[in-house]
Amino acid sequence: MNLSVNTERVKTVAVTASLATWLVVTAAAQLPDTRFDSLLWCGKRRIPTPNWRFFGPNPGVKDSHLLYRDVTDGKPGEWKEIPITRDRPWYALAWNARNRSPKALFDAVQGIRARAAAAGSEMGPVVWSPGYVLLSRYIQHHLPHTDGATHSQFLLMHSYLAAPENREIEPFFVSEEIALPTTGTPRPETLPTAA
């Protein structure tokens, strides 16, 4: 009996089986309950699978809002909203370099929210957090202020749709009054806008 083996066919079957196995393992690695993670990561021969669980299973349902107001002669002014997100151009799906600044603001807001929830009524841990320092410096040096204003303050809020016609607003943090630089104090250079 003479068996001839077609090596090209064996290679094709081996590659197809490997890719199909990798596809199934990748799909299993995306399950929210992480049931198969211990099997995928055990031993020296770890199966390299991408992890796209960043988007779920709990999608964001609230919009973040950043507002600030100036304090002139000890009297607070009106709140002004700072837009955190911008309209995206059509090519942003592939290249969205302008998203870095809004992403930094969004991350600062989320960091302050988490720190404020953990600290309760204590302001100390929140004031020294990186997000608070970033927002304070941004408000001090990069936003327009009322003439004669000596201090500024920021407010963080969430909004979400409770019903189709009803938008709920939930303030969750008000900063301390932040001293504004005097006219003689040099301002840091404005950060360049990404293309």
Side-chain angles (χ1 to χ4, degrees), residues 110-122 126 172-173:
Q110 297 307 317
I112 291 171
R113 181 175 158 260
R115 189 71 62 102
S121 61
E122 249 185 276
V126 181
F172 63 88
F173 183 78

Side-chain angles (χ1 to χ4, degrees), residues 3-19:
L3 290 174
S4 67
V5 177
N6 185 344
T7 56
E8 288 302 314
R9 186 175 179 119
V10 170
K11 289 178 189 176
T12 302
V13 168
V15 168
T16 303
S18 298
L19 290 176

